[in-house]
Amino acid sequence: MDNFDDIINLPHHVSQRHPQMSMWNRAAQFAPFAALTGYEDSIKESAEENEKLFEEINNQQHKTIDEYEINQNDAGCTDDSYVVR
């Protein structure tokens, strides 16, 4: 007897108890699934937080530069006369 010779010609079993699954549902079983549910939302949220932080840092840097320039102007320093020692 070769492999499966005893069962190869038997009729296909159809359950009387369980209805046959539709092709759509059967295909869905083998479709890829979202193993990382919520991952994209988390990435988007993180990106938004980083963007806000970047804007805050950028605004603080501009504020610091503006304050530095105001202090230099108040001290009567110009680009040519101010020397860092």
Side-chain angles (χ1 to χ4, degrees), residues 39-51:
Y39 181 71
E40 288 187 30
D41 293 336
S42 178
I43 294 294
K44 183 178 178 183
E45 182 180 331
S46 179
E48 289 171 355
E49 290 173 4
N50 287 339
E51 192 170 317

Side-chain angles (χ1 to χ4, degrees), residues 23-68:
M23 293 281 272
W24 179 264
N25 288 338
R26 193 168 165 79
Q29 280 189 330
F30 300 100
F33 64 98
L36 301 173
T37 305
Y39 181 71
E40 288 187 30
D41 293 336
S42 178
I43 294 294
K44 183 178 178 183
E45 182 180 331
S46 179
E48 289 171 355
E49 290 173 4
N50 287 339
E51 192 170 317
K52 287 179 186 176
L53 182 61
F54 175 78
E55 288 177 12
E56 289 175 12
I57 290 171
N58 198 23
N59 289 339
Q60 183 62 37
Q61 287 176 341
H62 285 296
K63 182 179 175 184
T64 303
I65 290 170
D66 290 344
E67 288 174 353
Y68 173 80

Side-chain angles (χ1 to χ4, degrees), residues 3-4 16 20 46 53-55 62 65 69 80 85:
N3 293 339
F4 306 109
Q16 298 297 318
Q20 198 167 11
S46 179
L53 182 61
F54 175 78
E55 288 177 12
H62 285 296
I65 290 170
E69 289 174 351
D80 297 333
R85 294 181 190 201

Side-chain angles (χ1 to χ4, degrees), residues 1-37:
M1 267 187 150
D2 290 325
N3 293 339
F4 306 109
D5 281 345
D6 58 334
I7 63 170
I8 197 72
N9 292 321
L10 291 178
H12 177 72
H13 173 72
V14 178
S15 174
Q16 298 297 318
R17 192 179 304 181
H18 303 288
Q20 198 167 11
M21 188 180 288
S22 71
M23 293 281 272
W24 179 264
N25 288 338
R26 193 168 165 79
Q29 280 189 330
F30 300 100
F33 64 98
L36 301 173
T37 305

